[in-house]
Amino acid sequence: MPRLKPSPEEDRNRIIRAIIVGNQERYAISDESIAKYLHISLATFKKKKSRPVNFDLMDIHALARYLKFTPVQAASIALGRDITAKEVKDFILL
């Protein structure tokens, strides 16, 4: 049976999860330390991480600081989609 295309919300969730997990791995930051930084329980962080639409704006800002999001990663989260190389190039050449 063919795979269905994920919904736009699931695409946005995947982008956010990929950025969080990637930066956690890159900087060796545990779920426990992020939960402590956000002042929430580990269980709550894991729930939000599995369904990132539940993060509020303040959580995203704190995550961006703690996990050192790049400008491209931050833009991807804000737009809810991957940023293309052409978009980055066009922005730089403004």
Side-chain angles (χ1 to χ4, degrees):
M1 183 170 208
R3 292 183 70 172
L4 298 176
K5 183 179 177 185
S7 69
E9 182 179 330
E10 182 54 31
D11 274 342
R12 288 188 297 271
N13 284 340
R14 287 179 182 182
I15 289 167
I16 296 170
R17 270 194 306 269
I19 291 169
I20 291 171
V21 170
N23 284 17
Q24 273 187 278
E25 181 67 27
R26 182 176 182 193
Y27 297 113
I29 298 173
S30 68
D31 283 352
E32 292 84 3
S33 65
I34 294 173
K36 185 176 179 182
Y37 185 79
L38 295 176
H39 305 291
I40 58 177
S41 70
L42 178 59
T44 300
F45 174 69
K46 287 186 176 190
K47 285 179 192 173
K48 288 183 176 191
K49 185 175 163 185
S50 70
R51 190 162 158 75
V53 72
N54 293 329
F55 282 116
D56 62 26
L57 188 57
M58 296 309 291
D59 290 339
I60 296 293
H61 287 173
L63 284 171
R65 280 190 306 275
Y66 195 62
L67 294 175
K68 302 173 186 153
F69 289 176
T70 66
V72 172
Q73 289 173 328
S76 292
I77 289 173
L79 294 174
R81 62 181 175 82
D82 287 322
I83 304 299
T84 65
K86 181 184 181 318
E87 289 172 318
V88 172
K89 181 181 173 187
D90 289 347
F91 178 75
I92 291 171
L93 296 177
L94 282 178

